[in-house]
Amino acid sequence: MKKIKKEDLLEAIELANDQGEYYCNKATGEIVYISEEDRRIAEDCTEEDLENYPDWQRDGIEAAIEVEVNWDNYISLPSSYDINEYDIMVEFCYFLDDNKRSNELLSALKGKGAFRRFKDMVTGFNIDNKWYKFREEALMKIALEWCEENDMEI
């Protein structure tokens, strides 16, 4: 089994977004983030083209090229769609012992601005520590399932 750092894996899962994707090098356990912009640039980029980009952007483009060229050496980490924070929030509502607060939070999750309303209410109810612990445990469960599916060890 290959090893991966728990902190790195959890950070990648927590920061997953729809503007890019995280990949794990199967041999080293190193995690890299590839933005959609870097991926698009890397598709047509030559060595000479790389010189035209600043160092901070060049690193991302080179990482995108590395993943593309050595695709078999990498595994995709869970995306924001795989994680689905909305579902984690709904599960948290049902996890609560207080039915009134649970129902209020479920109502807050309807319509535009649901994430902000939910988080504001969690803070207002003074259960934010409970929410963050629940969320961390849910993300850890996703991480462990991903490791098992991909023959990786934390």
Side-chain angles (χ1 to χ4, degrees), residues 4 8 15 34 39-40 46 56 63 65 69 73-75 85-86 107-109 131 149:
I4 187 169
D8 293 347
L15 296 176
I34 309 295
R39 183 187 314 280
R40 280 192 300 275
T46 65
W56 64 268
I65 292 169
V69 169
N73 296 338
Y74 290 88
I75 311 167
E85 185 141 358
Y86 180 85
S107 292
L109 286 172
W131 157 244
E149 291 169 7

Side-chain angles (χ1 to χ4, degrees), residues 92-102 130:
F92 177 72
C93 295
Y94 289 113
F95 166 79
L96 292 174
D97 292 333
D98 186 331
N99 285 339
K100 183 177 187 250
R101 286 190 175 168
S102 176
K130 191 180 281 191

Side-chain angles (χ1 to χ4, degrees), residues 10-31:
L10 286 174
E11 180 180 350
I13 288 174
E14 186 169 346
L15 296 176
N17 61 65
D18 51 356
Q19 284 88 43
E21 200 164 342
Y22 283 92
Y23 296 91
C24 177
N25 182 307
K26 292 189 272 187
T28 66
E30 180 186 1
I31 296 175

Side-chain angles (χ1 to χ4, degrees), residues 92-148:
F92 177 72
C93 295
Y94 289 113
F95 166 79
L96 292 174
D97 292 333
D98 186 331
N99 285 339
K100 183 177 187 250
R101 286 190 175 168
S102 176
N103 288 332
E104 288 179 44
L105 285 170
L106 284 168
S107 292
L109 286 172
K110 295 179 182 158
K112 188 173 178 153
F115 283 51
R116 172 58 32 216
R117 276 193 310 278
F118 175 87
K119 290 180 181 178
D120 287 346
M121 289 180 80
V122 162
T123 302
F125 291 154
N126 199 26
I127 57 173
D128 43 346
N129 287 339
K130 191 180 281 191
W131 157 244
Y132 288 116
K133 184 176 189 307
F134 183 89
R135 182 178 179 270
E136 185 178 322
E137 289 172 0
L139 295 178
M140 186 62 181
K141 181 181 175 196
I142 291 167
L144 291 172
E145 288 172 358
W146 179 87
C147 284
E148 188 174 316

